[in-house]
Amino acid sequence: MRDKEATKAKLLDAALEEFSQYGIAGARVDRIAAKAGCNKAMIYAYFGSKEGLFDELLKIQIDRMINEVPITPEDLPGYAGRLFDSYLERPQLLRLAAYHRLENGFSDLPKAEVESHRHKIEAIAQAQMEGRITAAFNATDLLDLVVHMSILAFSTPNATRELVERSVQRLIAE
């Protein structure tokens, strides 16, 4: 008898590597199955399709990030730093999210990502209402600024990083 959960875990591990490297369109189920030591029919049995496997993998990676790097409204620069460190340690989530947006656009965001974003906005808004952080920006814009600061170094040429670092230092000083 096969261990369904162990097989799914092997497929997800292999899929993380494959999708991170090739995206949704470039990923091949035969490579995923071979790396996992499984029959590719198991991908369809457990996930329905290659896209279903990708969606499940992205959801797992987003949930992992949410649990490992919780929002800290009172220390948004620290939160940005922890996000950056997490992305540096495991860049696959940024790659998966980028491939998802390239192939699906912004109209079909993963539910886990939408819920996480909503929760973070609510936490920031609550801290603003309680006077624990500035209300100079609305909660959505403030979260967007913090999150984008955490990923900017991964998409910004080295020549502009010094400018970003100075901007971050000014934000922290405020």
Side-chain angles (χ1 to χ4, degrees), residues 113-135:
E113 184 177 359
V114 171
E115 285 301 309
S116 168
H117 202 73
R118 183 187 56 76
H119 164 74
K120 292 171 186 176
I121 290 168
E122 289 171 355
I124 291 170
Q126 183 67 35
Q128 288 175 320
M129 286 189 308
E130 294 171 0
R132 293 183 283 142
I133 62 172
T134 183

Side-chain angles (χ1 to χ4, degrees), residues 163-174:
L163 294 172
V164 171
E165 288 174 11
R166 281 188 256 153
S167 296
V168 169
Q169 292 304 319
R170 280 195 299 268
L171 182 65
I172 291 171
E174 293 177 3

Side-chain angles (χ1 to χ4, degrees), residues 60-166:
I60 289 168
Q61 294 301 311
I62 290 170
D63 288 345
R64 179 186 205 183
M65 178 67 74
I66 292 166
N67 291 325
E68 291 180 2
V69 188
I71 183 90
T72 51
E74 300 82 9
D75 182 19
L76 291 174
Y79 175 64
R82 289 189 306 281
L83 281 175
F84 173 84
D85 291 344
S86 184
Y87 293 137
L88 190 61
E89 186 178 313
R90 286 188 305 277
Q92 297 90 343
L93 178 56
L94 288 177
R95 291 184 194 138
L96 293 175
Y99 282 125
H100 183 274
R101 285 183 177 82
L102 284 170
E103 298 189 33
N104 295 295
F106 286 95
S107 61
D108 187 27
L109 294 175
K111 184 178 179 182
E113 184 177 359
V114 171
E115 285 301 309
S116 168
H117 202 73
R118 183 187 56 76
H119 164 74
K120 292 171 186 176
I121 290 168
E122 289 171 355
I124 291 170
Q126 183 67 35
Q128 288 175 320
M129 286 189 308
E130 294 171 0
R132 293 183 283 142
I133 62 172
T134 183
F137 303 96
N138 73 49
T140 301
D141 291 344
L142 189 53
L143 177 62
D144 287 346
L145 176 65
V146 169
V147 169
H148 286 95
M149 284 175 45
S150 73
I151 63 174
L152 195 57
F154 298 100
S155 61
T156 303
N158 288 333
T160 61
R161 287 194 179 152
E162 184 178 325
L163 294 172
V164 171
E165 288 174 11
R166 281 188 256 153

